[in-house]
Amino acid sequence: MIERLLVDGYRAIDHFEYEPNMINVFVGRNGTGKSSILEAIAMVYTAPVGFSDRLDNNVLGELIMVDRWWDLEYFVNLRRGDKRFRLKAVKGGAEINVDATYKEGGAAEVPEPIRDLVEEFLSEEGNDSLSPDELRRLTSEALKGPLLFGRAEPGDVHFVIISNMLATVTAKVPGSSDLIFCTHCPRWPFTDIKWLYDMLEESGRAYRFVNYLRRHIPYFADLRSGEEELWVRLENLERPLPLSMMGDGMVEVIRQLVLVDLVPGGVLLVDGLPYNVHPAFYEVLAERLFEAALEERTQIFVSTQDLEFVEKVLRTGGELVNLVR
């Protein structure tokens, strides 16, 4: 688990230091930095494996893609003159550091490892037949636009986001981390409920998941994956229903519970919980978060504006919960 966190100069965050609990709830008005904290956690946690998460997404690349490639300067706190952000996490007693810099451009100002990284990327993009001089020229051209680049340690992982190429280039590192970051931004990919549930079936945890639904939703009988749909069987119906016909609220409850089951003992970040969920199901979510934290040592970070949901989590989780306003 993450034992300590430092966010310095990232987006709206000037300086933030924090010692997380097992369940961490960030609450506040729009624009106060809740999402920025979760993004920073996702980046620093996944940095040693090239920003790869449990779903094999590149967290850094997805964050850039959701926003705008040409607005890289807004990833750095605008009040700061150094155009840098720094992230640090202590995880299992070991320290992880991410240091990033924004530059308007100018290849001469870019550190040599970043230039080498871009040159290697360009050679792999079908340019391996070019002469070394031509490859260096293309690299210089790529680095003339706005850039966000840096390194992560341990592992000495270099990375660069190139605005004029719409590309995120990260040093190749084997493996992935046990973290999932879910945001309800409509442009955030990889949250299709059937795809997530199929992953859960492959992990062998679907039976436990379905039993949890049976215990907590009285009319729920079963959930099965078909070729194109998830099918729900209810006790008072002879035929199963496509999950998509049950409404956004039920889909969202199942999506969030699947995400919890996909990272046992890892880290789950959910921005905007309990999105679209009816208050009647708040306790179902809160109890599962508590179970995961207590029994499986899953560390959970959520942001919310729903004070009723906050109350449910506090009452259920007790001393395992930190509330950050």
Side-chain angles (χ1 to χ4, degrees):
M1 61 177 283
I2 299 171
E3 297 147 26
R4 288 185 56 229
L5 174 71
L6 179 144
V7 182
D8 191 76
Y10 179 69
R11 290 195 185 264
I13 309 300
D14 182 22
H15 187 83
F16 177 76
E17 293 189 48
Y18 178 54
E19 293 185 5
N21 204 335
M22 292 306 300
I23 302 173
N24 304 271
V25 181
F26 294 85
V27 61
R29 298 177 181 177
N30 292 335
T32 53
K34 302 186 301 297
S35 299
S36 297
I37 295 294
L38 297 189
E39 290 174 9
I41 295 169
M43 278 195 285
V44 71
Y45 192 92
T46 60
V49 288
F51 303 98
S52 180
D53 72 358
R54 167 71 174 82
L55 305 179
D56 290 326
N57 305 318
N58 185 296
V59 169
L60 178 62
E62 299 303 339
L63 288 173
I64 300 295
M65 192 175 297
V66 165
D67 288 288
R68 296 179 295 185
W69 292 93
W70 54 90
D71 280 340
L72 296 177
E73 64 179 312
Y74 299 120
F75 282 84
V76 179
N77 190 295
L78 296 176
R79 294 188 299 271
R80 309 271 296 246
D82 56 3
K83 299 291 186 182
R84 294 175 62 189
F85 71 75
R86 184 166 63 101
L87 312 175
K88 181 169 78 172
V90 177
K91 171 190 169 189
E95 193 171 287
I96 306 169
N97 287 281
V98 175
D99 201 331
T101 300
Y102 170 77
K103 286 190 180 298
E104 291 290 348
E109 301 174 334
V110 176
E112 197 63 32
I114 298 299
R115 176 183 281 275
D116 293 344
L117 186 63
V118 175
E119 189 170 304
E120 181 184 355
F121 170 75
L122 289 172
S123 68
E124 292 174 353
E125 292 292 298
N127 298 311
D128 53 337
S129 60
L130 296 173
S131 69
D133 287 343
E134 187 65 11
L135 192 56
R136 281 193 291 271
R137 185 190 67 78
L138 286 175
T139 301
S140 295
E141 287 295 320
L143 295 173
K144 283 182 179 178
L147 305 169
L148 186 68
F149 61 86
R151 64 185 291 184
E153 294 179 330
D156 200 24
V157 178
H158 287 85
F159 60 90
V160 58
I161 298 97
I162 310 170
S163 177
N164 60 9
M165 286 180 56
L166 306 185
T168 301
V169 184
T170 308
K172 293 180 177 63
V173 182
S176 59
S177 68
D178 53 348
L179 173 142
I180 290 178
F181 179 35
C182 177
T183 174
H184 294 289
C185 172
R187 291 172 289 164
W188 188 256
F190 311 116
T191 54
D192 176 73
I193 180 64
K194 183 182 183 308
W195 181 67
L196 293 171
Y197 183 76
D198 287 346
M199 286 187 65
L200 189 63
E201 284 196 324
E202 291 172 9
S203 74
R205 293 176 61 87
Y207 180 76
R208 171 194 176 120
F209 168 79
V210 170
N211 276 342
Y212 185 84
L213 292 178
R214 287 177 182 141
R215 290 197 308 271
H216 289 80
I217 303 175
Y219 51 84
F220 179 88
D222 203 2
L223 180 69
R224 296 291 175 93
S225 182
E227 289 188 8
E228 298 180 357
E229 280 268 18
L230 286 181
W231 293 85
V232 179
R233 183 173 289 280
L234 305 179
E235 289 184 349
N236 57 345
L237 291 179
E238 294 182 3
R239 296 175 55 190
L241 288 172
L243 177 62
S244 57
M245 295 297 293
M246 295 195 66
D248 293 344
M250 179 61 74
V251 172
E252 195 56 36
V253 168
I254 292 177
R255 187 196 323 276
Q256 296 304 330
L257 294 174
V258 168
L259 290 171
V260 175
D261 267 286
L262 280 173
V263 280
V267 172
L268 174 65
L269 308 169
V270 185
D271 190 15
L273 199 68
Y275 175 80
N276 251 352
V277 174
H278 191 278
F281 288 109
Y282 286 3
E283 195 160 340
V284 175
L285 287 177
E287 286 188 15
R288 185 65 189 102
L289 296 180
F290 173 68
E291 275 187 16
L294 181 67
E295 299 172 9
E296 300 170 17
R297 305 304 292 169
T298 302
Q299 194 173 28
I300 296 156
F301 298 83
V302 302
S303 71
T304 186
Q305 297 180 37
D306 192 311
L307 298 184
E308 185 177 348
F309 178 69
V310 170
E311 184 180 3
K312 290 288 186 186
V313 174
L314 287 171
R315 288 181 180 277
T316 304
E319 293 183 355
L320 292 182
V321 182
N322 279 4
L323 180 63
V324 183
R325 184 171 182 271

